């Protein structure tokens, strides 16, 4: 089954404690992206990757890191989480041109 | 000015009526346009894509695109309570940008 898998689905953490949200896709997509979704603001792009070892900033990259060492995986790293990073996070993948985005199930992150 | 704008709603329609959802975008070079449906707490799922001016129909859904007016809409005929969700408009500029920009979404409520 074609899918994008994120883990964990829910996470409560404390300010400053490094965390990683994993994302994996089994569709051999070149393009992967991370979004955060906040009420009234819609989906905002954090980082994206057009292929292995190729990443670039989206609209709200501050406080986040990513890496793309393998085509299927695109983890999101919060080195020192802060309460303003409390949000719903989605990973998405797509083919070249990103004509369609396939989304993971989402990760609800709370930073206290 | 936001790149993709939608009325946040809620748009309330009776069961069986036509729901009309609208979206405007600011970048004239945008080439691909999408409508995603998102149920509360779930990930967005693609329901329609449109690439050229005019109408595109798929079952009860019709997408309409007017590039000169920078306007894209979604009509849902014979609305059902199960259509109650947030509808996200997304725009891809193409040209290798590989960036999907989302509107904040319109919440649709279909009441029996």
């Amino acid at each position: 089954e074609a899918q994008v898998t994120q883990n964990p689905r829910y996470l409560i953490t404390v300010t400053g404690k490094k965390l990683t949200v994993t994302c994996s896709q089994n569709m051999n997509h070149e393009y992967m992206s991370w979004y955060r979704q906040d009420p009234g603001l819609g989906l905002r792009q954090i980082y994206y990757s057009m292929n292995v070892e190729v990443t670039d900033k989206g609209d709200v990259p501050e406080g986040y890191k990513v890496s793309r060492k393998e085509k299927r995986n695109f983890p999101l790293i919060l080195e020192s989480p802060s309460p303003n990073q409390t949000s719903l996070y989605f990973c998405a993948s797509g083919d070249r041109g990103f004509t369609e985005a396939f989304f993971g199930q989402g990760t609800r992150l709370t930073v206290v | 000015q936001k790149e993709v704008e939608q009325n946040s709603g809620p748009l309330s329609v009776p069961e069986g009526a036509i729901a009309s959802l609208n979206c405007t975008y600011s970048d004239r070079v945008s080439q691909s346009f999408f409508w995603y449906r998102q149920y509360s707490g779930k990930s967005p799922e693609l329901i329609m894509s449109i690439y050229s001016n005019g109408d595109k129909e798929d079952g009860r859904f019709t997408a309409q695109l007017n590039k000169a007016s920078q306007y894209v809409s979604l009509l849902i005929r014979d609305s059902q309570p199960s259509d109650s969700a947030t509808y996200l408009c997304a725009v891809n500029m193409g040209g290798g940008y590989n960036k999907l920009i989302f509107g904040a979404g319109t919440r649709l409520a279909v009441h029996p």
Side-chain angles (χ1 to χ4, degrees):
Chain A
E1 180 188 354
Q3 59 186 6
V4 179
T5 303
Q6 290 178 233
N7 280 297
R9 294 287 312 279
Y10 302 92
L11 179 60
I12 301 175
T13 190
V14 296
T15 299
K17 185 177 181 182
K18 181 179 178 180
L19 66 92
T20 299
V21 184
T22 63
C23 175
S24 180
Q25 51 96 1
N26 63 0
M27 295 167 278
N28 201 37
H29 284 156
E30 293 181 348
Y31 188 88
M32 297 186 75
S33 182
W34 277 102
Y35 294 88
R36 62 177 288 174
Q37 188 173 36
D38 303 290
L41 297 177
L43 285 162
R44 293 181 293 168
Q45 191 175 49
I46 303 170
Y47 269 95
Y48 64 96
S49 169
M50 289 191 281
N51 215 324
V52 175
E53 303 292 2
V54 181
T55 63
D56 207 349
K57 296 177 181 178
D59 298 315
V60 288
E62 293 78 19
Y64 304 95
K65 285 176 58 177
V66 294
S67 67
R68 187 93 180 272
K69 294 183 171 53
E70 303 168 279
K71 196 171 187 178
R72 63 184 291 124
N73 296 324
F74 190 44
L76 179 70
I77 303 158
L78 285 73
E79 295 268 3
S80 183
S82 62
N84 64 11
Q85 292 179 297
T86 292
S87 187
L88 178 59
Y89 291 86
F90 288 103
C91 177
S93 74
D95 57 5
R96 184 178 297 181
F98 212 35
T99 53
E100 178 179 354
F102 294 84
F103 284 85
Q105 317 96 304
T107 296
R108 188 167 291 280
L109 172 66
T110 301
V111 183
V112 298
Chain B
Q1 182 188 3
K2 290 183 181 178
E3 293 176 279
V4 180
E5 294 210 48
Q6 297 181 252
N7 188 319
S8 61
L11 174 65
S12 182
V13 301
E15 185 174 356
I18 296 175
S20 178
L21 304 162
N22 304 314
C23 172
T24 58
Y25 59 95
S26 59
D27 199 320
R28 287 195 170 272
V29 302
S30 298
Q31 296 185 2
S32 309
F33 307 86
F34 307 90
W35 284 99
Y36 285 80
R37 179 176 61 200
Q38 186 177 25
Y39 293 112
S40 181
K42 303 294 186 183
S43 56
E45 57 177 331
L46 181 69
I47 54 172
M48 288 288 287
S49 59
I50 187 166
Y51 305 101
S52 55
N53 281 329
D55 294 359
K56 179 182 178 182
E57 187 174 318
D58 184 359
R60 296 187 296 112
F61 298 98
T62 298
Q64 300 174 316
L65 175 61
N66 184 326
K67 289 188 178 181
S69 300
Q70 296 175 237
Y71 177 90
V72 57
S73 66
L74 179 70
L75 300 178
I76 306 175
R77 289 182 300 281
D78 188 24
S79 295
Q80 302 297 309
S82 59
D83 294 325
S84 299
T86 296
Y87 289 81
L88 303 170
C89 174
V91 174
N92 185 335
M93 289 191 294
Y97 282 99
N98 290 310
K99 185 173 181 177
L100 265 185
I101 301 171
F102 287 85
T106 298
R107 190 156 58 91
L108 172 66
V110 181
H111 53 86

